[in-house]
Amino acid sequence: MKRILLMVLRNIFLVPFAWFRLCYRAGHVDKYPEEDMYAFLRWIDLHANRGGNVRIDVHGEENIPEKDGFMFFPNHQGLYDVLAIIEACPRPFSVVAKKEVANVPFLKQVFACVKAYMIDRDDVRQAMQVIINVSNEVKKGRNYLIFAEGTRSKNGNKIGTFKGGSFKAATKAKCPIVPVALIDSFKPFDTNTIRPVTVQVHFMEPILYEDYKNMKTTEVAALVQERIQKRIDENI
């Protein structure tokens, strides 16, 4: 919470204007093209990061597919994860997030702006409908991000188990899967400090449908988990 306060204080003259614009856009998402909305979110994100002593160290941007209609699968370290990837990624994407964070201030407005899906893990029917909707949108050229662990690992740079069900939307859409390794992304919001911190974002080589079409979703999950953990271990 100290870092969030620092972000606000160092942008004190910008915050009222930015917050008003963010809330307005969150309530009128159909008025703005996706690229324009994403550029606006990156603008806010950049100012917040600079004010909060957070530096984003980006690796592998060339691995982001040139053609839209792909899915990011990062490890999940904390509430800051999406904000790290927004600054790191020049291409618009949306998010599938658990309903428990649907009403967290600021994240709520960001999720609204990217037209995110909130998934209820206790409602199988609702979760399946989200998978179908995301799959259809990816086929049409939207990009999505899903945290395959389902919840924060709470073990720093040691990731949790990736769940096979998280990859069903990708297998249905037959789209490229882009593993994303986050390193130290838990530090900005999940540690009680305002010291400068660097968050590493590694976009890894995509796994194409031709490479995973004969694999079970649990096997795909294990493969992505292994690659991400290996990248983390190589860079800490």
Side-chain angles (χ1 to χ4, degrees):
M1 295 303 294
K2 286 183 178 179
R3 195 177 303 274
I4 294 175
L5 181 60
L6 181 65
M7 289 176 171
V8 172
L9 290 176
R10 285 187 170 175
N11 291 285
I12 192 64
F13 297 109
L14 178 66
V15 167
F17 172 69
W19 178 250
F20 174 80
R21 289 184 66 191
L22 178 64
C23 291
Y24 180 82
R25 284 174 174 251
H28 301 83
V29 293
D30 292 327
K31 289 185 62 175
Y32 302 92
E34 185 173 36
E35 292 76 12
D36 178 79
M37 190 74 86
Y38 189 70
F40 171 69
L41 292 177
R42 292 190 82 198
W43 175 76
I44 290 180
D45 196 21
L46 181 64
H47 282 280
N49 288 338
R50 297 299 176 269
N53 288 335
V54 182
R55 174 177 172 267
I56 306 300
D57 183 18
V58 186
H59 302 263
E61 187 177 324
E62 69 278 4
N63 288 322
I64 300 174
E66 294 183 4
K67 183 179 179 181
D68 288 326
F70 56 84
M71 296 188 70
F72 289 132
F73 286 89
N75 54 308
H76 195 8
Q77 295 193 338
L79 293 173
Y80 182 76
D81 296 347
V82 171
L83 302 181
I85 299 174
I86 285 178
E87 179 174 332
C89 181
R91 303 275 289 284
F93 64 89
S94 188
V95 179
V96 177
K98 59 184 180 181
K99 70 170 187 176
E100 288 82 357
V101 298
N103 293 312
V104 175
F106 183 67
L107 288 181
K108 175 182 178 180
Q109 285 74 27
V110 170
F111 287 149
C113 286
V114 298
K115 299 182 180 179
Y117 281 103
M118 312 311 294
I119 194 166
D120 185 348
R121 293 174 294 180
D122 296 323
D123 187 335
V124 176
R125 181 174 295 181
Q126 188 267 356
M128 182 55 67
Q129 188 59 55
V130 168
I131 290 171
I132 292 172
N133 291 345
V134 169
S135 173
N136 289 336
E137 291 195 19
V138 172
K139 289 178 182 178
K140 294 177 182 177
R142 292 198 80 208
N143 309 314
Y144 270 86
L145 178 152
I146 293 181
F147 292 110
E149 289 161 278
T151 189
R152 289 175 284 172
S153 66
K154 298 182 181 180
N155 288 313
N157 290 312
K158 179 67 176 178
I159 66 179
T161 302
F162 277 31
K163 297 175 174 59
S166 301
F167 292 85
K168 288 183 178 179
T171 57
K172 286 181 178 294
K174 302 180 180 180
C175 71
I177 290 172
V178 183
V180 183
L182 296 175
I183 299 175
D184 292 340
S185 187
F186 64 95
K187 291 183 177 180
F189 288 170
D190 292 71
T191 58
N192 194 28
T193 178
I194 58 174
R195 290 180 298 177
V197 61
T198 296
V199 175
Q200 296 182 46
V201 180
H202 294 255
F203 297 106
M204 302 173 66
E205 186 176 346
I207 305 172
L208 304 180
Y209 177 67
E210 290 72 19
D211 299 324
Y212 69 78
K213 64 180 180 181
N214 295 321
M215 300 172 64
K216 298 178 180 178
T217 54
T218 52
E219 294 173 328
V220 177
L223 174 64
V224 174
Q225 177 184 331
E226 179 184 9
R227 291 188 180 184
I228 290 176
Q229 187 64 66
K230 181 180 179 181
R231 181 62 62 88
I232 291 173
D233 293 341
E234 292 171 345
N235 287 275
I236 57 175

